[in-house]
Amino acid sequence: MPEAGSSPIYLDGDEWQSYFRDFKRSAFRLEVHQTYTMPAEAETVRGFLAGEQMPEGFNVQWHDLIRDHATAGRRMTRAKIVRRPLTDYSRYLFEWCIPGNVSAGEGYQIVDVTERPNSGIPEQDFWLFDETTVVHLNYRSDGTQINRELIQNPDIGKYLAWRDLALESAVPFGAYRT
């Protein structure tokens, strides 16, 4: 939360992208929603649901970014919270998105909370860069992103504890998928 009297800082465009280009050691994402309604994905989600083949070069720029960071020794890790049965969007992630991210070097972990609804993991999506910088990803209930908010003076210990709790409860994507 912003300090009293300070205005929230919302990130967009190149300023937002710079966090992914410029982190030094690690980028961690807690992904809690079961559906995301992202305009840039609308066409590919429709294609997936219609039974089409994944487009050639799908997500290649993101995979190149992950690969470049992995080659340089920087870690990208994600903990995806899931509840069964999987939503159409989660099935899209599992089939079209996550396998390429994992192949490129992202440590993609699945936390199934179907039988543990009170897991202690927050209902807030966030990125944690270099264990110092927190950005909340805020969404409407339908999965439409509202904004990306840079958290000023975050309680880093709290975010590290949430990260660790999620990762302790997680299984690697490949193991979960089988």
Side-chain angles (χ1 to χ4, degrees):
M1 292 292 160
E3 290 182 55
S6 66
S7 298
I9 298 172
Y10 299 114
L11 302 172
D12 209 359
D14 190 62
E15 183 180 23
W16 170 235
Q17 294 305 314
S18 71
Y19 284 85
F20 295 98
R21 282 192 312 268
D22 300 339
F23 71 87
K24 304 294 183 218
R25 294 176 311 284
S26 64
F28 169 80
R29 164 87 187 263
L30 180 64
E31 193 171 286
V32 302
H33 293 280
Q34 303 307 293
T35 298
Y36 294 92
T37 308
M38 306 298 288
E41 293 179 331
E43 187 177 326
T44 56
V45 170
R46 271 193 300 278
F48 168 77
L49 294 174
E52 295 174 7
Q53 293 293 315
M54 184 169 39
E56 188 170 328
F58 181 73
N59 274 353
V60 69
Q61 290 177 314
W62 182 249
H63 298 155
D64 288 346
L65 179 74
I66 294 168
R67 201 172 288 108
D68 290 348
H69 283 304
T71 299
R74 295 182 291 268
R75 288 176 293 124
M76 293 183 79
T77 308
R78 194 178 313 228
K80 168 69 178 146
I81 307 302
V82 298
R83 292 176 187 86
R84 288 174 273 123
L86 296 179
T87 62
D88 287 345
Y89 186 84
S90 289
R91 290 187 314 102
Y92 160 75
L93 287 179
F94 275 47
E95 295 298 320
W96 281 22
C97 301
I98 299 173
N101 291 11
V102 170
S103 292
E106 184 175 13
Y108 217 110
Q109 306 292 309
I110 304 298
V111 183
D112 191 326
V113 296
T114 304
E115 296 174 12
R116 312 178 289 124
N118 299 320
S119 64
I121 298 170
E123 290 291 323
Q124 174 66 57
D125 277 61
F126 65 86
W127 276 99
L128 174 63
F129 297 98
D130 292 326
E131 299 184 346
T132 60
T133 302
V134 176
V135 177
H136 280 189
L137 306 172
N138 299 311
Y139 295 90
R140 292 185 181 90
S141 59
D142 71 351
T144 303
Q145 191 171 75
I146 299 167
N147 58 42
R148 294 173 289 267
E149 181 182 356
L150 178 64
I151 303 303
Q152 300 172 65
N153 302 309
D155 177 351
I156 290 297
K158 175 174 70 174
Y159 290 94
L160 292 172
W162 285 337
R163 177 203 62 194
D164 294 348
L165 178 62
L167 293 176
E168 288 166 8
S169 305
V171 296
F173 172 71
Y176 182 83
R177 195 170 183 204
T178 58

